[in-house]
Each structure stands twice: as C-alpha cells, then as structure tokens.
Amino acid sequence: MIRYVWITAMLAILCIVLYIPSAAPPERFLEVLRAEHAMNEHVWGAATAQRILSRMLDMQQAGKQLSDPPAPTIQVPPSGAIDAAMVHQVSQMSARLFGNPYFRSIDSLFVLVTYRLSALVELLPLLLIFCLVVAVDGLVVRLVRAREFIPHSAEMFGGSVAGGIALGSAVVVAWFLPLQMHPMFVTLCLLLMLFVLSRALANYHVIR
C-alpha cells in the first residue's frame, strides 16, 4: 500500500507540473504570488515577508529561466548569404520555441514554487523542534509497549506511513497549483505529517 501511495503521489506531481502551465497564463501565477506575499505580511509580519521575498529573488538569480533560448554551443561564422539566412531562421525558431506562453508559464510557475519554498525555510526551526519532540514521543511509546508486551500494530504502521506520504504529497502538489494558499495550511499539514509519522515509529517492529 505504501508503494502505491508513493507512486500515485509522484505521478500526480508530474502530471500537474506538465499540465498546469498549459492551463494557466503566466499572469495568473504572478497574481497568486502577490496575493500570498500580502497575506504573509499580514500573518507573519512585514520583516518576515521581506526575508521570504529576498530569499526567493536570490534563488531566482542563481537559476536560469526556461524561456531564455539556449546559447549556441558551436559558433560557425556564416560563409555566405544562405548560411546567414539559415542562422537567422534557426535563431528565430529557437526564440519562438522558448518564448511561447507555455514556457513562460513554466517560468512563472517555478517563481511561485520558489517563493513557497522560501516561505518554508522560515518554518524550519519550528518543524525541526516538533520533529524532535514527536520522534522522542514515538520512541518512548514503542519502548513502553515493548516492556508491557503489547504487540505493535502493523496496520497502524502502514496506515501512518501512507498518511504521512499523502500529507507530504498534498503539500507538494498544492505548491504547484495557481491557487492562493493560507500560510497556516502548509504549517499545519507538515506538523500533522510529522505527528502521523511518529505514530508509525511507535508501531514499527523489526521482524527477526
């Protein structure tokens, strides 16, 4: 079951990444980004929202946009009018290919995803502390059950792992959707995912 949930989640993410840019114009992703930035300013404060935006811009500068046509790997000087015309046609075709609305939508989509990842960085201290707490709790519950000779539940382990994968995949899928998300949505989903995985840890049993 865990394998099927993982495969389904990966296929859903792949389909969304390929389909959404063809269904939404580039302006739609930028509108969502502006709306989420305004909401982050309201929820987390102007200073935190500015850090998120600055981090997103730094990540964008480190990358390269898909809508930019690639530079030619080999520079061949044209030896005649036919070669010059061919080079001109090839450059125009490359510009039309990489400058079409689909590739520009992909660029805008990854700008939105980068902004959401930058917002996730602000949550890392909270997530790490909560992960440590629930991991210790899961280990303690597992040890207590072992001392009391209470059998571990394989069904609870499988369901908890599948639920954790589903919650994590829901967050990743939501990142690629051009829909406005409340900042607390990602926070609560990730906290719930960590708690569910801690229940899996509490019911994990090594078969020897």
Side-chain angles (χ1 to χ4, degrees), residues 14-30:
L14 179 61
C15 292
I16 286 174
V17 171
L18 295 177
Y19 170 73
I20 290 298
S22 65
E27 295 78 11
R28 172 60 181 166
F29 299 101
L30 299 180

Side-chain angles (χ1 to χ4, degrees), residues 63-71 94-95 97-100 103-104 107:
K64 182 180 179 181
Q65 293 186 348
L66 290 176
S67 57
D68 294 335
S94 178
L97 175 63
F98 288 92
N100 62 35
F103 279 94
R104 288 191 287 111
D107 283 337

Side-chain angles (χ1 to χ4, degrees), residues 105-140:
S105 293
I106 291 180
D107 283 337
S108 301
L109 170 61
F110 279 99
V111 168
L112 179 61
V113 174
T114 304
Y115 181 82
R116 290 169 173 174
L117 284 174
S118 301
L120 177 64
V121 175
E122 295 291 329
L123 299 175
L124 285 181
L126 172 64
L127 295 177
L128 290 176
I129 294 173
F130 188 77
C131 180
L132 179 62
V133 170
V134 295
V136 172
D137 179 70
L139 289 173
V140 170

Side-chain angles (χ1 to χ4, degrees), residues 63-84:
K64 182 180 179 181
Q65 293 186 348
L66 290 176
S67 57
D68 294 335
T73 57
I74 301 176
Q75 297 289 342
V76 180
S79 58
I82 297 179
D83 292 337

Side-chain angles (χ1 to χ4, degrees), residues 81-99:
I82 297 179
D83 292 337
M86 182 178 298
V87 170
H88 180 68
Q89 290 295 328
V90 170
S91 63
Q92 281 189 341
M93 181 180 65
S94 178
R96 286 195 298 267
L97 175 63
F98 288 92

Side-chain angles (χ1 to χ4, degrees), residues 127 130-131 134 189-199:
L127 295 177
F130 188 77
C131 180
V134 295
C189 283
L190 293 179
L191 292 178
L192 183 59
M193 179 192 72
L194 293 175
F195 176 77
V196 170
L197 291 178
S198 72
R199 298 309 92 191

